[in-house]
């Protein structure tokens, strides 16, 4: 990963999976708001309904994880001329754990005697290993390099928290959105690291790796803008998905309207009941005083 292409591949795959999860989470959320819609539930993977036949129910995400990590594994070896050392060995180890999580997703789909939630455990394990390897990746590095990857470690820690929250709050769309957002941030920040440390554009201004205070402040500011951009993108995708589903004739407010009607009816019934109780109490009091 010590090249621009190495950072680009990891960032690209992270962004692709994040976009897919974001779109599917919004679709699942809006369907849960429809009248008689299915209850919202968090899952590690999503079926690809755009495919035909039985493929729309297959664990395509699991297969894509294995393929993506295979490409990254192969690229890591080829880009370094077939050499396998401690540096790219760390990267290949990370790819192995993510590929293993894809295999677990496939096995969970076919009910191969695995405990419930093992797909979450495998993904969290892969992210944890990524953070562990990255932590020991920073020794004796230049200050700017350390700052860039330290921010990346913060993102990895946030991904683990988001996945743990998703395991616990299985019906919360916010947990799924947190996972999508943090993976998006990881992907865009990987790309940013690639452009800062290994800019492939000829003639581009290079950064001072010894990093003065002003450059460190600039890096933290850029990271904050990545956060803002990812958050706005997640919300924008929600707007587009809602418009698309409405164009398809889905009444997204029917569920909320039905719930509002039920609550309003219950409120009116309670009010009438209180009024009737008040009238009865008044009559009883009147008869007693009379």
């Amino acid at each position: 990963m010590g090249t621009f292409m190495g950072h680009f591949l990891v960032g690209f795959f992270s962004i692709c999976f994040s976009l897919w999860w974001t779109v599917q989470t919004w679709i699942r959320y809006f369907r849960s708001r429809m009248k008689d819609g299915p209850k919202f539930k968090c899952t590690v993977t999503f079926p690809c309904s755009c495919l035909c036949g039985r493929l729309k129910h297959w664990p395509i995400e699991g297969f894509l994880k294995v393929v993506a990590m295979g490409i990254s594994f192969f690229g890591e070896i080829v880009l370094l001329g077939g050499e396998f050392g401690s540096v790219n060995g760390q990267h290949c180890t990370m790819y192995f754990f993510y590929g293993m999580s894809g295999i677990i997703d496939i096995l969970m789909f076919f009910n191969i005697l695995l405990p419930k939630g093992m797909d979450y455990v495998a993904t969290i394990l892969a992210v944890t290993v990524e953070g562990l390897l990255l932590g020991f990746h920073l020794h004796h590095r230049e200050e700017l390099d350390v700052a860039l990857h330290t921010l990346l470690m913060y993102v990895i820690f946030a991904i683990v928290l988001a996945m743990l929250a998703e395991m616990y709050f299985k019906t919360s769309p916010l947990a799924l959105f947190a996972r999508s957002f943090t993976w998006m941030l990881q992907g865009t920040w990987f790309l940013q690291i690639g452009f800062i440390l290994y800019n492939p554009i000829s003639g581009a201004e290079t950064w001072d790796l010894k990093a003065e205070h002003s450059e460190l402040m600039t890096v933290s500011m850029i990271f904050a803008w990545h956060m803002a951009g990812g958050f706005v993108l997640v919300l924008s995708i929600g707007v587009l998905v809602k418009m698309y589903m409405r164009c398809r004739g889905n009444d997204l407010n029917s569920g909320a309207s039905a719930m509002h009607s039920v609550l309003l009816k219950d409120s009116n019934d309670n009010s009438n009941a209180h009024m009737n109780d008040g009238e009865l109490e008044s009559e009883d009091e009147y008869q007693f005083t009379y």
Side-chain angles (χ1 to χ4, degrees), residues 1-2 35-36 113 144 164 169 176 202 210 218 267 273 275:
M1 202 188 301
K35 186 178 181 180
D36 299 327
L113 298 177
L144 179 61
L164 289 173
F169 303 103
L176 258 177
S202 59
K210 293 183 179 180
T218 302
S267 177
M275 291 179 62

Side-chain angles (χ1 to χ4, degrees), residues 265-284:
K265 183 177 182 299
D266 290 342
S267 177
N268 291 335
D269 291 342
N270 290 334
S271 298
N272 293 333
H274 285 307
M275 291 179 62
N276 292 334
D277 291 343
E279 291 176 356
L280 291 175
E281 290 176 359
S282 298
E283 291 179 1
D284 293 342

Side-chain angles (χ1 to χ4, degrees), residues 123-222:
T123 305
I124 292 172
L125 177 62
V127 179
T128 303
V129 168
E130 179 188 356
L132 173 67
L133 296 175
L134 187 62
F136 289 93
H137 196 65
L138 303 180
H139 291 293
H140 305 297
R141 293 293 188 100
E142 298 290 351
E143 192 171 0
L144 179 61
D145 195 347
V146 172
L148 291 169
H149 286 86
T150 300
L151 291 171
L152 182 59
M153 288 187 64
Y154 294 159
V155 179
I156 293 172
F157 181 69
I159 291 175
V160 172
L161 290 181
M163 296 291 293
L164 289 173
E166 193 178 329
M167 281 186 66
Y168 187 75
F169 303 103
K170 297 288 290 184
T171 59
S172 172
L174 292 179
L176 258 177
F177 285 128
R179 188 228 295 188
S180 301
F181 168 75
T182 51
W183 277 83
M184 174 70 69
L185 184 59
Q186 175 181 240
T188 59
W189 194 243
F190 259 117
L191 295 182
Q192 186 68 67
I193 293 175
F195 275 104
I196 291 178
L197 299 181
Y198 314 100
N199 199 326
I201 302 174
S202 59
E205 183 178 355
T206 59
W207 288 65
D208 182 11
L209 295 182
K210 293 183 179 180
E212 297 181 358
H213 179 66
S214 59
E215 288 185 310
L216 293 177
M217 291 179 63
T218 302
V219 166
S220 63
M221 179 183 65
I222 294 174

Side-chain angles (χ1 to χ4, degrees), residues 55-68:
L55 289 177
K56 66 173 61 178
H57 303 295
W58 274 52
I60 301 300
E61 268 189 59
F63 290 110
L64 288 177
K65 282 183 184 179
V66 175
V67 171

Side-chain angles (χ1 to χ4, degrees), residues 42-62:
C42 296
T43 55
V44 175
T45 61
F46 293 86
C48 188
S49 58
C50 56
L51 297 177
C52 57
R54 294 183 177 180
L55 289 177
K56 66 173 61 178
H57 303 295
W58 274 52
I60 301 300
E61 268 189 59

